[in-house]
Amino acid sequence: MRTDTQEQNRGILFALSAYGMWGLFPIYFKSVASVSPFEVLSHRIIWSVVFLTLFIIISGRWQELIHNFRQKRLIASLTVSAILVSLNWLVFIWAVGQGRILETSLGYFINPLISLLLGMIFLGERLRKAQWIAILLAVAGVGYQLVLVGSLPWVALFLACSFGFYGLLRKRIVVDPFSGLLIETLLLSPFALLYLFWLNQQNQLAFLSESIEISLLLVAAGIITSLPLICFAVGARRLTLTLNGLLQYTAPSIAFILAVVVYHEPLDSNRLVTFALIWSGLILFTAEGIWRNKATSS
């Protein structure tokens, strides 16, 4: 019989595996940068359907999947979430190919604070003083880049907001993560298949026409999309929200390091100020959450 400590350690291992894979995503999408973002997105959808279908059959979850398919309201909600997540994926794929990994990492650093704000607006959650200050620091970071640098970090804001709304919607949809993602990708798959068919008709399809390595990488998109989700779901069940919240910064931190150290994206003083303000907000947000959690449990 496993102890609570063993279960938590397993949870940390699975969660770190998930966040580590998400953080390393830029390496994969850099390797398929020669393929158009829309084709990469289409393969990501189609091969995710294949991988998740096999996973659900092997794990014996197919009856639950059939039950979910019979709920019209659930399907309608998952259609909206599918559109949101596909737009998030598309912008991320495009941004990595354009050498804007730093901006994607900024987006996922901002995301927890966006989620906090959305919870207040749509779920009636009350924000504490420290949480307000954390959000204002993030706003100051974006405002600094807009006013003094003269450019809005639209990639970061789009990724943070689209994923924030996606998380908000999925929080209100009662469905397990595996069935949910499979249904989302199934709903998108006809459009993905039609687009790939059109590319083939135009002799613009990269799959099976470029190198064998590119074709295999495109097939691997299903595993790369689904495997982190599986690890995350297994890990999250064994962790407190506070600990899981701390671990989630692993992914954008890895992406940040990749952008600066591996891909040599420019990190000037102005960008560093923007990151510093947002990091300050996250530190305050996280520290306040840990302190409050300890005070409540004591």
Side-chain angles (χ1 to χ4, degrees), residues 14-298:
F14 277 105
L16 283 176
S17 298
Y19 292 126
M21 284 185 274
W22 278 324
L24 293 171
F25 263 15
I27 296 175
Y28 169 77
F29 290 111
K30 275 285 188 183
S31 68
V32 293
S34 62
V35 183
S36 77
F38 282 100
E39 183 175 349
V40 175
L41 175 64
S42 298
H43 284 288
R44 190 173 183 181
I45 291 166
I46 291 162
W47 296 111
S48 292
V49 169
V50 174
F51 181 82
L52 281 167
T53 300
L54 290 172
F55 173 78
I56 283 177
I57 291 171
I58 292 169
S59 60
R61 300 170 185 266
W62 59 273
Q63 288 182 324
E64 188 174 357
L65 177 67
I66 293 170
H67 171 73
N68 290 329
F69 259 116
R70 291 171 177 162
Q71 300 182 56
K72 293 181 180 179
R73 192 170 179 180
L74 174 65
I75 298 300
S77 298
L78 286 173
T79 300
V80 178
S81 66
I83 294 169
L84 280 172
V85 78
S86 63
L87 290 172
N88 181 276
W89 287 354
L90 180 62
V91 171
F92 181 86
I93 293 165
W94 176 86
V96 171
Q98 294 295 311
R100 301 175 73 163
I101 300 171
L102 265 179
E103 208 168 334
T104 68
S105 74
L106 180 64
Y108 290 113
F109 276 124
I110 296 174
N111 177 248
L113 301 178
I114 293 289
S115 297
L116 198 67
L117 194 59
L118 292 176
M120 180 199 72
I121 296 169
F122 293 100
L123 302 179
E125 297 176 357
R126 297 184 63 183
L127 300 187
R128 300 182 291 274
K129 181 188 274 189
Q131 294 174 326
W132 271 116
I133 295 171
I135 290 172
L136 289 174
L137 283 168
V139 171
V142 173
Y144 176 87
Q145 187 162 336
L146 177 61
V147 175
L148 296 183
V149 183
S151 64
L152 186 71
W154 72 267
V155 169
L157 290 174
F158 184 87
L159 291 176
C161 291
S162 60
F163 201 73
F165 275 105
Y166 175 73
L168 175 69
L169 189 57
R170 286 299 300 268
K171 186 175 182 178
R172 306 185 77 168
I173 299 173
V174 183
V175 64
D176 72 279
F178 312 117
S179 294
L181 184 60
L182 177 54
I183 293 171
E184 285 171 343
T185 49
L186 276 170
L187 291 168
L188 295 167
S189 59
F191 303 100
L193 286 169
L194 282 172
Y195 179 71
L196 292 180
F197 177 77
W198 180 83
L199 282 180
N200 188 54
Q201 293 295 101
Q202 302 297 313
N203 293 318
Q204 296 176 13
L205 186 68
F207 185 65
L208 298 180
S209 61
E210 287 198 19
S211 66
I212 187 66
E213 290 83 3
I214 290 292
S215 296
L216 290 173
L217 283 169
L218 291 173
V219 172
I223 297 175
I224 287 167
T225 299
S226 308
L227 192 57
L229 172 73
I230 294 168
C231 290
F232 172 79
V234 173
R237 288 202 307 265
R238 294 170 167 80
L239 299 176
T240 63
L241 287 174
T242 302
L243 182 53
N244 196 37
L246 281 171
L247 294 175
Q248 75 176 321
Y249 301 128
T250 305
S253 298
I254 293 172
F256 179 88
I257 293 167
L258 282 173
V260 176
V261 177
V262 178
Y263 297 112
H264 308 292
E265 290 189 16
L267 181 64
D268 55 30
S269 57
N270 288 321
R271 270 192 171 185
L272 198 55
V273 169
T274 298
F275 270 100
L277 285 166
I278 290 164
W279 285 334
S280 299
L282 286 174
I283 290 168
L284 177 62
F285 166 68
T286 305
E288 192 269 350
I290 293 171
W291 175 81
R292 189 171 183 83
N293 186 57
K294 286 183 177 179
T296 304
S297 58
S298 61

